Amino acid sequence: MSSCSSADSAASSSYSSSKEQSENEERQTWSWLELPRDVTAAILLKLGAVEILTSAQSVCSSWWSICKDPTMWRAIDTHNWGNVFNLPYNLEIICRHAVDRSCGQLVDINVEHFCTDDLLKYITDSTSHLRRLRLFFCYDISDEGLCKVVGKLPLLEELDISIGTITKDALEVIGQNCPKLKSLKFNMKDSRCSHIESDDEALAIARTMPELCHLQLFGNKLTNTGLCAILDSCSHLESLDLRHCFNLNLEGPLGKRCTEQIKDLRRPNELINDYPFCALMGDSGLFYIDNLLGFSDRDFLSDVDYQDDLYAFLDGSDFSDNVSYYFDPDTYY
């Protein structure tokens, strides 16, 4: 009897424990679904447009309703790590759906790697309130395409058109049509080995963007002439990033002027550890570093020289110690 009683007691205890666990899980599930709508919306916004449209919105009717709300789409982020060819969905179609859901309320959009002239036109036709536009690594956006739409961006304050095909012609049109522009990122592959000099972009910026407060020109070919023009015209500049602008000489009076006039100055030879587009990590290790840092002329360097250059651009530690640092998602995006 004692043995049976003990077994019954154990079975009862196990059942109670299992029932309690089940009830706890049920309470946790209901507590998640019963979150206030604005809290759930804030959580979903952390996912980004692609994740919301391809998965999150289908979880339940409550999330579907929230994901249809135009206020969810005032800012659209279509980050994609640059892998636009092997995805199970079409990023341009997803982006158009996201823009449609904003119902004209779009103010901030990040369309990197895959934006085209047609998609950019679709975006700018859909809103007149855009304040932030990021078109990093969009080689399918042309001067002509960009010039056709900037007239619809009178409220634009921040623009990133780094690493693409945009020239000084489009920069001038942007400056003429976007009087509220405060921040410009116009980064490119640096020309460390080619020694080509050009002040075209710098002079276009100086002529048409006097209200700039923040300017990043990583790898630009400008000389002291172009820099002086920017300093003369853009009197509100607070930050200026000139890293890898190796045609500049800031050792004399110009360097002193930059230090006195600019609160946050990044000089040509400063470290690039915090620059987000240094390299990507692939199956075989670190690659694209030639491409993104602009070492298209690597063939002109010996292997020793090449390693020395990389060593100099890091923080002085061994190259192998920095490989994992170069692909930190929190830094990259």
Side-chain angles (χ1 to χ4, degrees), residues 39-69:
V39 174
T40 302
I43 294 172
L44 290 172
L45 282 172
K46 300 292 184 180
L47 296 176
V50 174
E51 289 80 3
I52 290 176
L53 290 173
T54 58
S55 57
Q57 68 175 8
S58 302
V59 168
C60 61
S61 59
S62 175
W63 284 20
W64 171 259
S65 174
I66 292 172
C67 292
K68 294 281 286 184
D69 190 333

Side-chain angles (χ1 to χ4, degrees), residues 63-229:
W63 284 20
W64 171 259
S65 174
I66 292 172
C67 292
K68 294 281 286 184
D69 190 333
T71 60
M72 284 282 292
W73 304 97
R74 297 184 74 248
I76 297 174
D77 185 0
T78 57
H79 61 265
N80 55 78
W81 306 102
N83 180 20
V84 298
F85 301 108
N86 299 316
L87 297 174
Y89 42 75
N90 187 307
L91 281 172
E92 181 166 347
I93 292 176
I94 286 179
C95 185
R96 288 175 183 253
H97 279 306
V99 170
D100 290 343
R101 289 196 179 183
S102 70
C103 297
Q105 298 185 34
L106 182 63
V107 297
D108 181 345
I109 189 167
N110 172 14
V111 196
E112 58 197 36
H113 292 100
F114 69 94
C115 194
T116 63
D117 286 343
D118 288 341
L119 179 56
L120 184 59
K121 182 179 185 302
Y122 190 86
I123 293 169
T124 55
D125 283 345
S126 303
T127 179
S128 58
H129 307 294
L130 208 60
R131 287 176 168 78
R132 185 174 186 268
L133 177 61
R134 188 171 187 235
L135 302 171
F136 165 69
F137 228 127
C138 292
Y139 280 100
D140 290 325
I141 293 180
S142 65
D143 275 1
E144 181 181 5
L146 189 54
C147 290
K148 285 181 178 179
V149 303
V150 291
K152 304 170 187 176
L153 304 173
L155 302 180
L156 194 67
E157 297 176 0
E158 299 181 36
L159 176 63
D160 183 350
I161 46 176
S162 299
I163 310 184
T165 61
I166 301 305
T167 71
K168 59 100 175 176
D169 296 325
L171 282 176
E172 287 196 4
V173 178
I174 291 168
Q176 293 164 358
N177 287 273
C178 304
K180 294 183 179 293
L181 193 64
K182 297 292 189 296
S183 175
L184 174 67
K185 292 183 178 181
F186 187 65
N187 305 310
M188 57 187 64
K189 303 173 185 179
D190 76 53
S191 55
R192 182 178 177 83
C193 304
S194 59
H195 302 294
I196 297 173
E197 296 183 353
S198 175
D199 287 311
D200 289 348
E201 296 95 356
L203 295 177
I205 291 169
R207 283 194 296 266
T208 64
M209 303 179 187
E211 300 301 318
L212 281 181
C213 297
H214 309 284
L215 177 61
Q216 188 174 64
L217 293 173
F218 188 99
N220 197 274
K221 302 176 182 65
L222 81 164
T223 69
N224 284 17
T225 298
L227 177 57
C228 285

Side-chain angles (χ1 to χ4, degrees), residues 245-259:
C245 297
F246 294 117
N247 293 327
L248 293 173
N249 181 359
L250 302 185
E251 296 301 321
L254 181 56
K256 181 180 179 182
R257 179 185 178 185
C258 286
T259 301

Side-chain angles (χ1 to χ4, degrees), residues 272-291:
I272 61 171
N273 288 5
D274 62 336
Y275 185 67
F277 312 125
C278 295
L280 298 174
M281 186 69 72
D283 294 337
S284 59
L286 193 66
F287 73 113
Y288 286 156
I289 196 162
D290 292 353
N291 187 27

